[in-house]
Amino acid sequence: MTSIRLTDEEKKMLNGDFGSGVQQAMTLLTRFGAVFGAERMVPVDAVHLSTQCPRNLLRKMTEGVDTAKTLCSLHAAFDPSRIKEIGISEIKTGQFMATGATLDSKVFQEQLEIFSRLGFLKTFTCAPYLVGIIPKHGDVVILTGSSGQIISNSLFGARANREAVPSALASVVTGKTPETGLLKKKNRYAKILVELEGLNIEGFTDAHYGALGYFIGGVAGLENIAISGLNRRPSFESLRLLMSPMPVSGGVTMCHIAGLTPESPTLEQAFGGAKPIQSVKAGKKELQDAWEQLHTADSREVDHVAIGCPHCTIFELGEIASILDGKKLSENVSLLIGVGKPVVTLAEQMGYADIIIKAGGIFSPCCVGPSNPRVYLGDTPLIMATNSAKAAHYIVRGTEGKTKILYGSLRTCIETAITGKWVG
Ligand code: F3S
């Protein structure tokens, strides 16, 4: 344990001069920082918080706090009072979400009232960067959830650790966080080199990127990685699907791609001039093995299609609309699209939303992965198609394998929603 140097203001927070909520928050942060070797607190530029915040903790830590001390936004969320909008008639006794998200609409509203009082932006998305909250290179950002951190670190050059809800809430009320882990430059360098070999990256779909990321996370564990051999500049959507499974099959929170990651113009800079501690090859066999782990269904029938883990970009909605144009979903197949409201508003202006809704698709600001309400609140275990390796991983584990996954590209999933049978 280290002892943390606190500023006069931070000492006052710890002494209770700003009330009991702030005192509790600073106590938690100093203890947490001491355990993880922090020498000081640093100011936080933004917090993105899950609404799945224990009620007592939320009440206590915000006691006496009028406003959040930094820019704050809310994660993807399921509002239990709006179940009918996603085609669910009622919540039955005994049903629950694997993530523990509340199914009590009164509790949900109570929590929202506290977040509103503190000035949170009601973004309800796991992709805050798509609704205007874009971290700058070097910013300290606190994100709950599991994919925002790797995207913030690797694509925006911001500094983010994996964060628990209590410590993130403590940063909301203090505006501070202990300087640990990836907030320190020396901890951000790559350790493992992942060399792509013999892969036809030109022919990759979104699902290839996801399966590759799933493999990489599984072999890299908790280490920072750098990828070499990605001989084209993937789209932003492909990069998100590549990176978002890495913290799920493993615990990777920093993925360097030379020339793309802001602090890594070259591979040498990604490693800070040091040699990799390990090199891993990723070729056709590794990709195929990862794909087979994700695709757990052995039939071609489908009940449910989940797209938007992480929440969709406008380009993904455009692609969905182009496939659905003039068509209808197969009877008994639901299509749930996780997306933030501002992106839906843009899709309305582009005419995409109309096409998708007429075909039977549903937009929701909820999580379509481990808190997917169609999976957890529906009547039967489902066969679900998705283009998200992250959603596939979480749902198989959250349902103890009862929900079977058809894993493939966005195009394959949407065409499957039309035919009712897996077209991959
Ligand atoms: Fe978003 Fe849920 Fe996936 S919060 S990133 S849809 S796991």
Side-chain angles (χ1 to χ4, degrees):
M1 295 239 289
T2 55
S3 66
I4 304 183
R5 286 190 313 276
L6 297 180
T7 63
D8 288 344
E9 191 200 29
E10 289 158 2
K11 282 181 192 157
K12 283 184 187 166
M13 290 182 187
L14 195 59
N15 288 338
D17 294 15
F18 299 101
S20 68
V22 172
Q23 182 179 33
Q24 192 184 339
M26 188 49 88
T27 304
L28 186 147
L29 291 175
T30 49
R31 286 190 187 151
F32 177 74
V35 169
F36 288 96
E39 290 168 1
R40 59 175 186 161
M41 296 285 164
V42 287
V44 164
D45 293 291
V47 178
H48 186 67
L49 191 69
S50 168
T51 56
Q52 290 163 32
C53 201
R55 226 181 345 166
N56 278 347
L57 178 79
L58 183 58
R59 280 203 204 114
K60 280 191 173 169
M61 214 179 256
T62 58
E63 204 173 295
V65 180
D66 296 331
T67 180
K69 297 295 182 295
T70 186
L71 171 68
C72 291
S73 51
L74 286 170
H75 200 46
F78 170 64
D79 178 348
S81 69
R82 303 179 72 167
I83 51 167
K84 295 212 166 64
E85 291 171 22
I86 46 178
I88 292 167
S89 52
E90 57 171 344
I91 297 171
K92 299 191 185 93
T93 316
Q95 286 183 319
F96 63 96
M97 297 280 203
T99 53
T102 184
L103 297 179
D104 183 331
S105 45
K106 261 174 67 187
V107 171
F108 185 74
Q109 285 312 322
E110 240 182 75
Q111 289 175 321
L112 280 195
E113 276 164 28
I114 296 178
F115 291 130
S116 295
R117 189 190 87 219
L118 296 172
F120 271 73
L121 295 169
K122 292 180 195 165
T123 41
F124 300 124
T125 180
C126 47
Y129 44 85
L130 294 181
V131 302
I133 304 169
I134 303 166
K136 300 188 302 299
H137 187 180
D139 276 359
V140 173
V141 288
I142 305 290
L143 303 110
T144 51
S146 54
S147 66
Q149 304 85 358
I150 190 168
I151 290 166
S152 297
N153 283 319
S154 314
L155 297 180
F156 296 119
R159 292 177 286 157
N161 287 316
R162 295 289 288 267
E163 206 73 44
V165 168
S167 59
L169 183 60
S171 293
V172 169
V173 301
T174 60
K176 300 292 173 91
T177 192
E179 192 180 34
T180 61
L182 292 172
L183 305 194
K184 294 179 172 177
K185 186 170 172 49
K186 66 173 184 163
N187 296 331
R188 295 177 62 83
Y189 296 117
K191 296 281 184 220
I192 295 180
L193 176 61
V194 180
E195 295 173 286
L196 308 188
E197 268 190 4
L199 292 170
N200 172 22
I201 293 165
E202 292 294 325
F204 263 27
T205 64
D206 46 349
H208 288 88
Y209 283 105
L212 179 60
Y214 195 69
F215 163 72
I216 292 173
V219 290
L222 294 168
E223 298 292 357
N224 299 338
I225 61 148
I227 300 178
S228 73
L230 203 58
N231 52 11
R232 63 180 285 210
R233 280 177 78 85
S235 66
F236 183 66
E237 286 73 10
S238 301
L239 287 166
R240 292 194 321 153
L241 287 168
L242 170 69
M243 292 182 183
S244 57
M246 293 182 191
V248 172
S249 54
V252 180
T253 315
M254 178 87 218
C255 167
H256 295 261
I257 299 176
L260 269 171
T261 300
E263 62 217 72
S264 307
T266 66
L267 199 55
E268 291 67 34
Q269 282 162 300
F271 284 91
K275 293 250 175 294
I277 58 166
Q278 188 189 348
S279 290
V280 175
K281 307 267 182 240
K284 284 185 185 141
K285 180 178 179 321
E286 289 75 17
L287 188 66
Q288 183 64 29
D289 288 351
W291 197 302
E292 282 168 14
Q293 280 179 51
L294 293 164
H295 190 104
T296 60
D298 44 22
S299 96
R300 303 182 82 80
E301 305 299 320
V302 64
D303 304 302
H304 176 56
V305 178
I307 303 290
C309 175
H311 275 184
C312 281
T313 69
I314 189 64
F315 300 108
E316 288 167 327
L317 295 187
E319 190 180 349
I320 295 169
S322 76
I323 304 166
L324 286 177
D325 198 3
K327 306 202 174 71
K328 284 257 178 232
L329 301 188
S330 172
E331 217 180 324
N332 302 325
V333 175
S334 57
L335 167 62
L336 186 61
I337 300 170
V339 59
K341 188 82 180 19
V343 181
V344 177
T345 301
L346 181 54
E348 283 164 2
Q349 294 189 26
M350 299 300 296
Y352 305 155
D354 194 42
I355 293 170
I356 294 169
I357 290 166
K358 273 192 184 135
I362 296 168
F363 298 117
S364 175
C366 70
C367 168
V368 299
S371 294
N372 183 321
R374 294 289 312 196
V375 170
Y376 290 98
L377 307 179
D379 286 331
T380 51
L382 298 169
I383 300 179
M384 175 184 127
T386 187
N387 67 336
S388 167
K390 184 178 176 188
H393 174 98
Y394 274 138
I395 286 179
V396 167
R397 277 144 194 86
T399 62
E400 298 172 337
K402 291 189 187 108
T403 294
K404 305 284 183 201
I405 301 294
L406 297 156
Y407 178 73
S409 68
L410 183 143
R411 172 166 288 278
T412 302
C413 290
I414 300 299
E415 287 176 352
T416 293
I418 298 167
T419 61
K421 288 221 184 316
W422 183 239
V423 300

